[in-house]
Amino acid sequence: MKKVLRYLHSCLGYLYVCFKWVFLATLVGCVVGPVGAAFGLALNRVTALRMADPRLICLLPLGGLVIVFLYRHFDPDGGGSTNQIFVSVREHKPLALRTAPLIFVTTIITHLFGGSSGREGAALLLGGSLSGQIGKGLRLEARDCRLMTMCGMAGTFSAVFGTPLAATVFTLEVVDVGSMQYAALLPCLISALIGVWISSGMGLAPTAFVLADHADPSPETLFRVLLLGLLLAGLSIAFCEVLHAAPKLYEKLLPNPYLRVVAGGVFIIALTTLLGTTDYNGAGANVIAAAIAGRVVPYAFLLKILFTSITLGAGFKGGEIVPIFFTGATFGCAVAPLLGLAPGLGAALGMVALFCGCTNSPLASICLAIEVFGGQNVELFALACAVSYMMSSYFSLYREQHFLHSKLRVVGVRRVHGRWSETDSDVEN
């Protein structure tokens, strides 16, 4: 009888926790979904304005001055970096509410005037700060506030990009590589589903492409995809290192942040004028679509890395994920024919596998491939992601990302003098 009572008590406990997080996740999704949709729609609007009037790029230095002013006066310690959300989740400390409006406004400014940046990194900050404050307002425990922050990340990422499964898995695996927070699976998924449902209702279309090129998973094809994955792993290392080096170089040459952002804006204007195209300003979604259709400028990926590093290194705001998609898609499209693959398939593989190599999130990358490309050739995407993940070593787009397990052996890893090294400590701890 006692065993039955204990079993019933345990079942009631699980039901309580389940309903609690279904309610809280629904609440978060209903809050961050409209905000994420408004953010995505606003970015689409300012992008259309910039493309209709290319002269707006002349105001990029002025927009940069506004961005630096806002952060120096309202968030001098945060700085609008995606790394903030990693620290918030790991240390159970909700982000300040001011993070949301600051990253919203400054990302809009960057895109309006032609800076090269993305949106998903900003969306993580936007949703994480709002949901963390909801948890704080409800006086939840620190661990519950952490889970609320993760729900906000998943909900806003899903609302902006339209990929609830990838948003959920990305949130679970990106902070601490090798440790999936499965307790967050249900609430994050609910928040992501509500977020994308709301954003679709508000008119924000999900990101999706029709992949005309496909290939059978024959041994020859698998070998070619493996080679492409190796090349993308090397490109991911280069991408991460250039983006990390750019702000250091700016700080060394121009210690004053106002001068840095003006110089960055002038560089972008000069490069855009020199090239005679605006393809490398903003997110570059049109170039990604062209690459997947098999059309690309062979050196486009190098120019996008250059534009993005100049923009973000100078102090402009936005995410890095869409520039990763741009870089991977254009590189894959250009290199694939050399390996005997169709250019469109190479672009799709490059887009997803470079994202994997830069963020160290292989499962989210595979989910992304399924949602964005409809599940075609998923085994090829999985192979490219697996190779890119392993061969990109411990390089990462995010400095606050932690590696809890080795990529090569069943051992732990630790950071020594700024580098990741393997240790034989118990990986369970």
Side-chain angles (χ1 to χ4, degrees), residues 87-107:
V87 175
S88 174
V89 171
R90 186 175 295 114
E91 297 183 359
H92 304 187
K93 294 180 180 178
L95 291 173
L97 186 59
R98 62 177 178 268
T99 303
L102 278 174
I103 197 63
F104 191 112
V105 171
T106 56
T107 302

Side-chain angles (χ1 to χ4, degrees), residues 396-414:
S396 173
L397 185 64
Y398 309 115
R399 291 196 177 278
E400 290 297 332
Q401 187 176 52
H402 285 184
F403 295 84
L404 301 185
H405 296 273
S406 169
K407 289 189 176 185
L408 302 177
R409 297 186 296 162
V410 186
V411 295
V413 292
R414 61 192 177 95

Side-chain angles (χ1 to χ4, degrees), residues 291-303:
I292 293 171
R295 305 185 305 273
V296 70
V297 176
Y299 48 84
F301 71 97
L302 292 174
L303 290 175

